[in-house]
Amino acid sequence: MDFTFNDDQLAFREAIGRFLMVEAAPETLRELWETDSGRSPDLRGKIAEQGLTALSVPESAGGLGMGDIAWSLMTQELGYYGIPDSLADTAYVACGLLQGLPESLGGRQGWLERVADGSLRIALGDPVNPLVADAHLADLLLMAHGDEVHVLSREEVALEANPSIDASRRLRRVRWQPAAATRVASGEAGRALWQQTLDRGALSVAGQLLGLAQRMLDLSVDYVAQRRQFGKPLGAFQAVKHQLADVAGKIEFAKPVLYRAAASLERGDPRAALHVSQAKLACGEASWLAARHGIQVHGAMGYTWEVDLQIFMKRAWALDAAWGDRGYHKARIADAILAEGAELGPGHTFREAS
């Protein structure tokens, strides 16, 4: 299996990283999250100008036509800089669902074009997520009813706000009534669409968790290099070095697991769900360890609003249960590896899908 990214993917990631470093500094995020909406149309517009919202949109609709592998890099950048996950929900997860709808469906082409130019915000309601992110700001809501896919406007639903430990999260409980007029897919087609959507949602969160883990590690390394105890930097103590080295190891272990899952999704591997669940768990473990060791080296001040660590730590905690919690993904892995005739061992791990 070749995990090498091409020059276009790496250059795009570098450009997005440089852009977000300037436009999404922690001070800017704090100011933004204290507003009622918690969102900045200006920032979203600038992100669209960079091409991120067009990444997965087909070229026929004004997009770049890239797939899951490219998003495995982009979601890490979104996590590293604490960008709200609803951006990835629209530009990546919902975009994939829209592309799976019949081309004859009225509105489909226009929706994809608006995703590409950043003027359309989409919220996704899947049973695995009882609370929907950014539903109050969404132009469209894609909702599941059994195997059915329904498209609704914000005026067609009732919303109930739900607080989150993560200041960037704007969650709503959505109440709505399914109708034939809003149904755009059902049966086997609808079931397949929701399965792909769930896998893309979980992969999106996994990438963000990995980016968050790296950001928390970087913040912790910077802190222990500056903070002094007993006349020398805190980072000079072996116990602190071991803690942060453990985090670095978890991050490096999780990266190929994430990339393997992205490759499986993009290439239609029948084991994609298994690989996605493995990635979600591996990246979640890295983020949790980064948060725990980060707060240990920072001390209690790491929880305070003024310290950047708390922004990314709380986000990691909140995202850990999005698109399936640990129990859900462990159960999916158990179903796969304990099934009769399961293909296990290194001989099957990197076998190309037939």
Side-chain angles (χ1 to χ4, degrees), residues 10 43 46 100 113 140 156-157 167 170 209 280 317 333:
L10 294 173
L43 176 59
K46 290 180 179 179
E113 291 173 357
L140 284 181
E156 294 176 289
V157 301
R170 295 295 191 272
L209 289 170
K280 179 69 158 50
W317 292 342
I333 293 173

Side-chain angles (χ1 to χ4, degrees), residues 217 243-255 286 289:
L217 176 61
Q243 283 184 318
L244 299 183
D246 287 344
V247 176
K250 283 285 187 182
I251 291 172
E252 292 306 312
F253 172 81
K255 283 181 182 178
L289 191 66

Side-chain angles (χ1 to χ4, degrees), residues 163-169 310 314-315 317-318:
S164 171
I165 190 175
D166 174 13
S168 74
R169 299 272 277 171
Q310 60 87 21
K314 292 173 182 175
R315 183 154 185 74
W317 292 342

Side-chain angles (χ1 to χ4, degrees), residues 83-350:
I83 305 303
D85 57 300
S86 61
L87 174 67
D89 282 354
T90 295
Y92 175 39
V93 187
C95 182
L97 196 159
L98 291 178
Q99 290 184 65
L101 296 175
E103 293 185 10
S104 58
L105 177 66
R108 175 185 179 274
Q109 183 72 8
W111 294 334
L112 288 170
E113 291 173 357
R114 291 185 61 196
V115 169
D117 65 25
S119 63
L120 185 69
R121 189 188 295 271
I122 302 175
L124 290 156
D126 186 281
V128 78
N129 289 328
L131 300 173
V132 179
D134 281 10
H136 65 304
L137 299 174
D139 303 293
L140 284 181
L141 292 94
L142 302 180
M143 305 296 294
H145 178 67
D147 295 332
E148 299 174 351
V149 181
H150 290 259
V151 178
L152 302 104
S153 66
R154 191 164 68 248
E155 292 72 24
E156 294 176 289
V157 301
L159 303 176
E160 178 185 342
N162 194 91
S164 171
I165 190 175
D166 174 13
S168 74
R169 299 272 277 171
R170 295 295 191 272
L171 301 174
R172 295 294 188 277
R173 191 175 300 278
V174 181
R175 306 189 188 284
W176 61 288
Q177 290 295 327
T182 62
R183 185 175 61 244
V184 294
S186 60
E188 186 60 35
R191 184 160 48 251
L193 280 174
W194 280 121
Q195 178 61 60
Q196 292 173 359
T197 299
L198 190 152
D199 286 338
R200 286 198 172 98
L203 190 69
S204 170
V205 170
Q208 292 177 67
L209 289 170
L210 193 59
L212 287 163
Q214 186 65 58
R215 184 61 177 271
M216 289 185 283
L217 176 61
D218 290 348
L219 289 171
S220 298
V221 169
D222 288 345
Y223 180 78
V224 300
Q226 300 173 27
R227 181 80 165 90
R228 301 183 69 84
Q229 281 190 347
F230 307 109
K232 57 183 178 180
L234 188 59
F237 294 95
Q238 191 173 34
V240 175
K241 292 179 181 179
H242 286 174
Q243 283 184 318
L244 299 183
D246 287 344
V247 176
K250 283 285 187 182
I251 291 172
E252 292 306 312
F253 172 81
K255 283 181 182 178
V257 184
L258 176 70
Y259 302 151
R260 181 67 175 93
S264 293
L265 268 180
E266 185 161 315
R267 298 169 184 175
D269 192 317
R271 301 164 296 172
L274 168 64
H275 297 151
V276 167
S277 288
Q278 290 172 331
K280 179 69 158 50
L281 290 172
C283 295
E285 287 290 338
S287 69
W288 271 80
L289 191 66
R292 185 168 73 244
H293 287 345
I295 198 65
Q296 286 175 334
V297 300
H298 276 77
M301 66 177 293
Y303 285 105
T304 61
W305 181 255
E306 292 78 13
V307 177
D308 291 347
L309 178 70
Q310 60 87 21
I311 296 175
F312 308 99
M313 178 176 63
K314 292 173 182 175
R315 183 154 185 74
W317 292 342
L319 285 183
D320 189 65
W323 293 102
D325 59 16
R326 295 186 185 196
Y328 178 87
H329 288 286
K330 286 180 179 179
R332 289 216 304 181
I333 293 173
D335 289 342
I337 65 176
L338 299 179
E340 184 175 352
E343 297 179 339
L344 304 177
H348 299 288
T349 300
F350 298 107

